Amino acid sequence: MCDTFVALGNATRDGSVIFGKNSDRDPNEAHELVLIPHTTHPSGVKLACTYIEIPQVEETYAVLLSKPFWIWGAEIGANEHGVVIGNEAVFTKVPYDKTPGLIGMDFLRLALERAATAEQALDLIIGLLETYGQGGNCGFSHPLFYHNGFLIADHQAAWVLETAGKHWAAEKVKDVRSISNVISIGAHWDRASKELVSHAISKGWCK
């Protein structure tokens, strides 16, 4: 299983933030460590992600990424402002969209390139998810479809974001937190998509 963890400054001896992630990708799938510089882009250009194109922004931040060689996005990365994000596959009752679209690793890289704080990164991923949804094969040696969870942190704060289709819930981290390949946010969250609860009730998944 993949695992991502964070310990905020109020939980560490020296007040630093500790963040880490392991990966369980295919053993024959090479990973690249890529440093991409701060860049400005012409107005109106398109950005080619793993499967689809979306509008590019005028300025993107420098990022350090650990990524599967064939995917545009990344499993873990950091940017010049100290924002770090780890991505986890999560398996849910909501059907997976197999139509090529944005995948979890694309959301991660887009957030790092465009957000200067953890909360900005959270808002950016939510906005992209609600606009484009998520979908497409994420497997190298065989097709693999899933939804996505994220642990997002900066020097001051951290958030967990877990998704199922276009539905999502977010929890602000208080001290130490980890995520893996299952939904970890239960009945309590700090933010959530508008139809999260009503959809679950309509499906008979909760009361």
Side-chain angles (χ1 to χ4, degrees), residues 41 53 64 75-76 86 126 135 164 167 185 204 206:
H41 306 275
E53 292 186 344
L64 177 64
E75 281 219 323
I76 185 172
I126 290 169
H167 305 287
I185 298 174
C206 73

Side-chain angles (χ1 to χ4, degrees), residues 32-114:
E32 302 174 329
L33 191 62
V34 181
L35 179 62
I36 301 169
H38 189 126
T39 309
T40 56
H41 306 275
S43 179
V45 300
K46 292 287 188 177
L47 169 65
C49 299
T50 302
Y51 294 119
I52 66 170
E53 292 186 344
I54 66 171
Q56 179 61 285
V57 294
E58 292 185 0
E59 180 181 27
T60 51
Y61 301 132
V63 294
L64 177 64
L65 306 172
S66 176
K67 60 186 288 299
F69 75 97
W70 63 280
I71 285 175
W72 179 83
E75 281 219 323
I76 185 172
N79 72 15
E80 64 183 270
H81 295 285
V83 180
V84 290
I85 309 177
N87 165 244
E88 300 285 336
V90 292
F91 301 94
T92 75
K93 294 180 179 180
V94 176
Y96 309 115
D97 187 352
K98 297 183 178 181
T99 305
L102 289 178
I103 61 175
M105 287 177 272
D106 292 341
F107 290 125
L108 183 150
R109 178 171 172 177
L110 287 164
L112 289 175
E113 289 188 342
R114 301 178 180 194

Side-chain angles (χ1 to χ4, degrees), residues 20-37:
K21 174 179 165 60
N22 71 328
S23 175
D24 64 351
R25 301 287 302 180
D26 191 295
N28 294 314
E29 179 186 57
H31 275 230
E32 302 174 329
L33 191 62
V34 181
L35 179 62
I36 301 169

Side-chain angles (χ1 to χ4, degrees), residues 88-97 134 145-149 162-167 181-184 199 205:
E88 300 285 336
V90 292
F91 301 94
T92 75
K93 294 180 179 180
V94 176
Y96 309 115
D97 187 352
Q134 56 182 318
F145 302 91
Y146 50 77
H147 294 137
N148 292 273
E162 294 177 337
T163 72
K166 286 191 174 184
H167 305 287
N181 296 125
V182 296
I183 295 292
S184 64
H199 181 74
W205 297 335

Side-chain angles (χ1 to χ4, degrees), residues 158-175:
W159 286 85
V160 173
L161 172 65
E162 294 177 337
T163 72
K166 286 191 174 184
H167 305 287
W168 58 270
E171 175 191 326
K172 192 168 187 180
V173 177
K174 296 179 175 63
D175 40 41

